[in-house]
Amino acid sequence: MTDPAIIFSPTSRFNPAIKRALNDILGGSAASVLTVTFGLSYSLLIFAGPLSPYLSYGIAATFISSAVLAAVIALGSSMPFAIAAPDSSTAAVTGILAASLVERIAAADPSAPLLSPVLITLCLSTVLTGVVLCGLGLTRLGRAIRYVPYPVVGGFLGATGLLIVMGAIRVITDHPVQLATLRRFADGVALSELGAACAMALVLYLIWHRSRSPFGLPIILVGGVLTAHLAFWISGISPDEARALGWTFRPPPAASFMVPWHTDGFIQYPWFAVPDLLGNLVAVIFVTASSTLFNTTGIEVAMHREANLERELNVTGAANMLTGVLGGYAGCISVSRSILNFSSGGRGRVSGLTVSALSLLMLAIAPELLGYIPKFVLGGLLLYLGADQLHKWIVESRRRLSKLEYLSLIAIIVIIVTWGFVPGILIGVIIGCATFAFSAARVESIKYSFDGSEYRSSLDRSRDDQEVLLAHGGNIQGLNLQSYLFFGSANRLYQHVKRLLQKRPECRYLLFDFKLVTGVDSSAAYSFAQIKRSAADLGVELILVHLSAAAEKVLRSSDFVGAGVTIIAELDHALEWCENEIIAQHQGLAQEEASLRDWFAGILGSEDDADALIHRCQRIEVDAGEIIVQAGDPADSMHFILDGRVGIMVPAEDDRTTRVRSLGRYTTIGEMGLVSNTPRSATIQAEIGSVLYVLNTHQFDAIKEEDPALSHKLLTYFVSVMAERLTFANRTIAVLRR
């Protein structure tokens, strides 16, 4: 028999899975609080007025929708922690659709039944919505959301936060936030309720916001409920009196479930009203589709995760079709509930299944339990969530956005809150296009590309090093960028990089040359963050060259600059650094420490000739920055670089010098001057501590007289070196002329 102590031991292999499942259940339970609360309010919104007698059917439809949407999207979403349910925007247009149908039925026959036609209409609209979503996913038309400007997404999320705050105030006080109702908030009870809710939000911020413990939120909510009832008991207020005073919710009627698919319902359906309902039906489809795309993108931005939009559309479409068949209404992935689940520790698909199970549980248990929950507890949670979203998009975003982008974001929030999500999004896109027109014209962001085998640094290297770079030059891939990088061009750059990394799996260093880039906006920084994630997955190092201070500030604000990203001032030095890394990886220590005799023997083909040449040379050591020869001096010697690196410097403006070439170990310099006896045309300076062997004109003349064979071998070597340098120059010119 297995020892229980072993099963539950801290080292047990089951413990991590159990811990993850527990975190998912706790996160899903926290999100269920919002699902249940919002669901009840959506029921009241849709089944209002003439439909209020059928509220129990609305409650059943709401929890059926919540359960199916949460389960299907939890099982199929590309973001395992995603929580789905009816959303405020989808519930609003669904309510408008139901109200329009009731109005037309009542106008034609006041005594006609309402429940069956309404349920059929809601179910059919939901099924049709699911079909359209699947169509968008299969045709990949949903990718258009990637071209929506970053301020529009931020305005969408900021408006969601503001609407959550306004909804929280209505939940707490039973009064909507409007100019006509402002005087009602001066009532003592309303002020007390708002004060208690603000205190609850403050407790959530001070305790849960900072710790993010998955146990924190349930403990705080339960503690708030117990504290409220203890205060009622001390004050001598009974539960019924607390409910009458508005401190707790009134319990809704018991839920009743009915599937509308029966022959009599279709026979008695008011088909004459269908043409008048087409506009509202299109609104349901459009709002659900746009909410799916924008909510998914909003979660991507908030959680720094990349979603598969086609998969999200297909899964949401399938979930809505199943929801419609079972008698529910349209819904989609939820930003607030997904973020709440993630913040509470939920990372897996068990969270969504937990929400589904608790939604179904609401059909089996008496919803009168809601009557014992103080309004300020749930209202405080809503206030905290809304305030957190507002702070993130109104305060924190100011540091990431330009003035024009920030003003656009604020304008979009105002438009959405005033006129709704659809006008806000449409006007926001127009504002984004206007911002883009002020920023730059739409041009290709890549001028040309290259790899390390065809375009190298100016550092002259040994033949062995050149062979390594020729064989492994594909490890270096470079992109010369141009123009202004904004949401559209940066996304195309991201797609290009993804294809490049797939096509060239050997790539280990990806260079971005920003020399011709005129600016970078915040949405482009998000695309670069996507590039960084894709590169990190493949073990690719990113190198940024010629990065301006303004562009670097934008990229740093999005946390793009960090591990896996290196900034180097010039392209030549960046190529040299990459080449050094490749050579270090592919050459052994023995080859790096090859002796001078081995080098000369390789050049001359004879160890005897190598010894003779060494005898003619003089060894010198130079420190970093030391001048070896000065421009204008007589060309009376050549140098064999055994170790280190020297640079060829020419005069530039303002008494400065510019490096035009750099030479590393096992290379030579000055052979042309030694043959032609012309003055030095450039200064040779040690870039690091170096060891050189010098062959002067006297010794070279002695070799020509005393050892003609050795002299002939040296001249042959000089010609081969010059030919290699000419070939390199031709390749460089060919690349620069693209």
Side-chain angles (χ1 to χ4, degrees), residues 93-108:
V93 291
T94 300
I96 294 173
L97 176 63
S100 299
L101 176 63
V102 169
E103 181 180 349
R104 282 158 181 77
I105 292 175

Side-chain angles (χ1 to χ4, degrees), residues 16 33 56 198 222 243 258 323 344 361 368 401 431:
V33 174
S56 58
C198 291
V222 172
R243 193 174 300 119
M258 185 183 77
T323 299
S344 301
L361 188 62
E368 285 82 2
L401 303 176
I431 293 175

